[in-house]
Amino acid sequence: MLDEPLKTPVFHSRVDGQPPQWLVARDRVPYPDAVAFMEDRVAAIHAGTARELVWLVEHPPVYTAGVSAKPSDLIAPERFEVFQTGRGGQYTYHGPGQRVVYVMLDLNRRTRDVRAFVQALERWVIDTLWSFNVEGHIRDGRVGVWVGRKDKGYPLTEDKIAALGIKLKRWVSYHGIALNVEPDLSHFDGIVPCGIREHGVTSLLDLGLPVTMDEVDYALKVNFERIFGTVEIVESSI
């Protein structure tokens, strides 16, 4: 499944207590509202007044700029709203048909190792893709998860199917991953996704897999629990 096995540690909590909550937003969440929600939740998690949270959302179309974003990579700034954000990475797109998962975990309770945490998130995405018989890869120098395109001349051609960008505040994580299920891939044309010009983007639908968002959410949950431990599903009021 991988070119080299990932030696990802299990990130189950080392502290007895309540499991992370798992929350799926019922409606599309405006990006600035999501950031405000995450910042409040992260502060509450650190203060011990809220549980860890995995929050699954879809956004209206938007471009977001990470801390390493280059102005030249924003090709069509007038196409969608553009938001600066404190996560790692460069420009990315969020929109309908893309499952964005915000991961608010307290690494003080788990493993205070940023690289290992990123590897665990990558493993989570790769295992989720494998649930649909899609072989995902990570590549040195290219953030995110990639798939080889045999129809485009693989192994020379690979497209990005998932982006990853996180931020830590006092060892509590937020932001997370974005998995392309069935977004309008032409929306990525307004940016250079993650600053990489030599490769394209793809989705499960583009790969010939018309899976539902519910099916993707189930696969995400099953594979999350293998790495990070059991979750508690809560009903969304958002």
Side-chain angles (χ1 to χ4, degrees):
M1 185 165 58
L2 292 170
D3 297 319
E4 295 182 4
L6 275 178
K7 297 180 180 179
T8 306
V10 176
F11 264 76
H12 286 212
S13 175
R14 295 171 298 155
V15 179
D16 292 336
Q18 296 176 312
Q21 293 179 317
W22 184 272
L23 178 65
V24 180
R26 294 184 300 202
D27 301 315
R28 291 176 188 166
V29 180
Y31 186 78
D33 294 354
V35 173
F37 177 89
M38 282 191 289
E39 289 177 345
D40 289 345
R41 185 69 176 228
V42 165
I45 291 169
H46 188 268
T49 58
R51 302 258 293 277
E52 295 177 304
L53 178 67
V54 182
W55 189 29
L56 290 76
V57 308
E58 285 183 85
H59 290 305
V62 64
Y63 295 135
T64 70
V67 295
S68 301
K70 300 175 182 177
S72 59
D73 288 342
L74 181 59
I75 298 169
E78 72 289 342
R79 189 168 187 182
F80 302 122
E81 286 190 276
V82 181
F83 290 97
Q84 302 293 322
T85 181
R87 63 160 172 79
Q90 302 186 45
Y91 279 105
T92 193
Y93 164 79
H94 295 316
Q98 182 188 69
R99 177 50 87 207
V100 178
V101 188
Y102 293 127
V103 184
M104 289 158 268
L105 297 181
D106 186 356
L107 300 192
N108 294 293
R109 298 175 51 188
R110 297 171 182 272
T111 301
R112 290 175 56 164
D113 184 327
V114 176
R115 182 174 181 179
F117 181 54
V118 170
Q119 287 181 327
L121 294 174
E122 291 169 336
R123 167 58 68 188
W124 175 30
V125 175
I126 288 169
D127 289 352
T128 297
L129 290 172
W130 195 243
S131 299
F132 302 102
N133 296 316
V134 174
E135 187 173 358
H137 304 271
I138 57 170
R139 296 297 187 223
D140 289 341
R142 284 194 259 139
V143 178
V145 178
W146 302 79
V147 294
R149 299 302 301 269
K150 295 181 180 179
D151 57 322
K152 295 182 179 180
Y154 180 76
L156 298 179
T157 302
E158 291 184 320
D159 289 340
K160 189 172 192 174
I161 195 167
L164 189 153
I166 62 165
K167 185 174 182 178
L168 296 176
K169 184 175 290 186
R170 292 179 291 187
W171 289 102
V172 180
S173 70
Y174 59 119
H175 297 281
I177 66 169
L179 175 60
N180 295 332
V181 180
E182 53 175 6
D184 184 338
L185 294 179
S186 71
H187 288 180
F188 286 88
D189 294 344
I191 57 171
V192 178
C194 300
I196 299 171
R197 298 177 182 273
E198 299 82 10
H199 299 270
V201 292
T202 189
S203 67
L204 290 173
L205 182 62
D206 186 49
L207 294 173
L209 296 167
V211 300
T212 67
M213 197 66 78
D214 285 345
E215 290 172 317
V216 171
D217 291 350
Y218 178 78
L220 283 164
K221 177 180 175 294
V222 168
N223 289 290
F224 179 91
E225 290 185 320
R226 289 174 180 159
I227 298 171
F228 297 96
T230 304
V231 300
E232 177 189 343
I233 298 174
V234 294
E235 293 296 322
S236 176
S237 60
I238 303 171

